[in-house]
């Protein structure tokens, strides 16, 4: 089911295990002033959620925001065949079976009133299955609700998550703190580029942070993200 976060922005959430740990996953739905809907990081949806989406507006854009969050892209396209598929750079090489309409290479704006802005979070990498460092995450800012939408560039696990997840988060990062994990610290080598990316993000006016894995930060999100990345940048070896 969808959960309303603020005016013209909702999230859909599902349980998800990664390497045996419950980390959850989340998609974001944004309604533009003209009634069009943007789906960021689609998840597996049931009929109830589909009906909720249809009641909100017309789905025109489905976005895979990085090279990992693409599993349900084709499924969403089958539900909304007239919607455009936008993907992060590099996903076209990883998943050539996904037919995209646009590759989000740098930065841009969506909506007649620049309702949503986005940028490529350059220099940021992770260690994933097969040791692939490709992430190429696109991050988004919803102007109206002052909300930043991330996917895997920060995590925030609180008491609502199982103790096993919290224990690993204490070791790797993200336990009651809005920050990347040790996996990203080990993989990201271009400290200068990461610093430039986070500085651009911090220029946006936001207080709420939605991420794909973890609990949403409702207040003081900019300060918390800045603190998390100051810690992150201080531990990257040049």
């Amino acid at each position: 089911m969808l959960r309303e976060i603020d005016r013209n922005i909702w999230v859909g959430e599902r349980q998800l295990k990664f390497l045996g740990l419950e980390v959850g996953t989340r998609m974001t739905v944004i309604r533009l002033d003209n009634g069009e809907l943007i789906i960021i990081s689609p998840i597996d949806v049931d009929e109830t959620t589909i009906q909720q989406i249809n009641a909100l507006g017309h789905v025109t854009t489905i976005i895979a925001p990085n090279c990992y969050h693409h599993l349900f892209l084709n499924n969403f396209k089958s539900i909304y065949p007239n919607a455009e598929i936008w993907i992060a750079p590099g996903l076209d090489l990883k998943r050539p079976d996904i037919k995209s309409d646009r590759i989000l290479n740098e930065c841009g704006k969506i909506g007649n009133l620049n309702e949503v802005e986005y940028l490529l979070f350059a220099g940021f990498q992770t260690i994933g299955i097969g040791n692939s460092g490709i992430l190429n995450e696109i991050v988004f800012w919803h102007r109206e609700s002052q909300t930043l939408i991330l996917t895997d560039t920060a995590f925030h696990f609180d008491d609502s998550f199982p103790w096993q997840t919290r224990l690993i988060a204490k070791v790797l990062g993200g336990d009651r703190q809005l920050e990347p994990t040790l996996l990203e610290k080990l993989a990201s080598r271009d400290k200068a580029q990461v610093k430039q990316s986070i500085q651009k993000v911090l220029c946006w006016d936001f207080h709420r942070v939605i991420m794909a894995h973890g609990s949403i930060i409702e207040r003081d999100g900019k300060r918390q993200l800045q603190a998390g990345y100051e810690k992150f940048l201080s531990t990257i070896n040049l």
Side-chain angles (χ1 to χ4, degrees):
M1 294 182 65
L2 293 184
R3 179 161 63 95
E4 187 174 13
I5 298 301
D6 207 321
R7 180 176 169 83
N8 290 323
I9 185 167
W10 297 260
V11 296
E13 297 160 325
R14 285 280 192 231
Q15 291 186 335
L16 177 72
K17 286 190 175 182
F18 180 71
L19 300 179
L21 297 173
E22 178 57 51
V23 296
T25 189
R26 177 180 293 114
M27 75 175 178
T28 302
V29 180
I30 295 175
R31 181 169 59 196
L32 300 179
D33 188 61
N34 61 8
E36 294 181 355
L37 300 181
I38 300 171
I39 309 294
I40 301 173
S41 190
I43 62 173
D44 188 21
V45 290
D46 55 22
E47 188 59 36
T48 298
T49 304
I50 294 171
Q51 291 177 5
Q52 285 183 298
I53 292 172
N54 294 341
L56 296 178
H58 178 55
V59 176
T60 59
T61 310
I62 306 166
I63 302 175
N66 65 32
C67 290
Y68 282 85
H69 281 245
H70 55 77
L71 296 180
F72 302 104
L73 204 61
N74 283 336
N75 181 55
F76 240 86
K77 177 67 173 179
S78 69
I79 300 171
Y80 301 102
N82 295 323
E84 288 192 353
I85 298 292
W86 295 3
I87 64 173
L91 185 56
D92 54 325
L93 302 177
K94 182 178 181 180
R95 289 287 307 274
D97 60 304
I98 295 176
K99 306 303 180 183
S100 63
D101 298 283
R102 182 181 300 184
I103 298 176
L104 303 177
N105 287 307
E106 294 184 0
C107 62
K109 300 178 181 181
I110 306 172
N112 294 331
L113 304 175
N114 296 333
E115 297 156 89
V116 178
E117 295 186 19
Y118 64 85
L119 63 84
L120 173 64
F121 203 98
F124 188 81
Q125 293 185 296
T126 189
I127 298 175
I129 297 173
N131 291 325
S132 173
I134 298 175
L135 192 67
N136 290 347
E137 179 159 323
I138 307 296
V139 300
F140 301 83
W141 174 53
H142 183 229
R143 182 187 301 273
E144 181 180 21
S145 65
Q146 295 180 299
T147 301
L148 178 70
I149 300 111
L150 309 176
T151 306
D152 295 326
T153 44
F155 306 89
H156 175 247
F157 299 109
D158 60 13
D159 293 337
S160 66
F161 283 82
W163 68 266
Q164 298 95 329
T165 302
R166 290 278 311 283
L167 178 62
I168 297 301
K170 286 180 183 293
V171 176
L172 295 181
D175 176 44
R176 291 175 293 181
Q177 297 184 63
L178 185 61
E179 61 182 356
T181 73
L182 180 62
L183 300 180
E184 290 77 50
K185 293 173 184 177
L186 293 174
S188 298
R189 295 296 178 183
D190 194 337
K191 182 176 182 179
Q193 200 169 38
V194 173
K195 185 176 181 179
Q196 289 177 3
S197 295
I198 191 62
Q199 286 175 339
K200 291 177 182 178
V201 170
L202 293 173
C203 287
W204 285 332
D205 182 17
F206 65 91
H207 60 83
R208 177 187 294 109
V209 180
I210 295 174
M211 71 294 298
H213 310 292
S215 297
I216 294 172
I217 302 290
E218 286 289 349
R219 293 177 297 275
D220 199 29
K222 179 182 282 194
R223 183 198 61 80
Q224 294 186 51
L225 185 67
Q226 182 175 8
Y229 264 87
E230 285 176 352
K231 176 183 174 183
F232 173 69
L233 289 167
S234 69
T235 58
I236 295 179
N237 294 321
L238 293 174

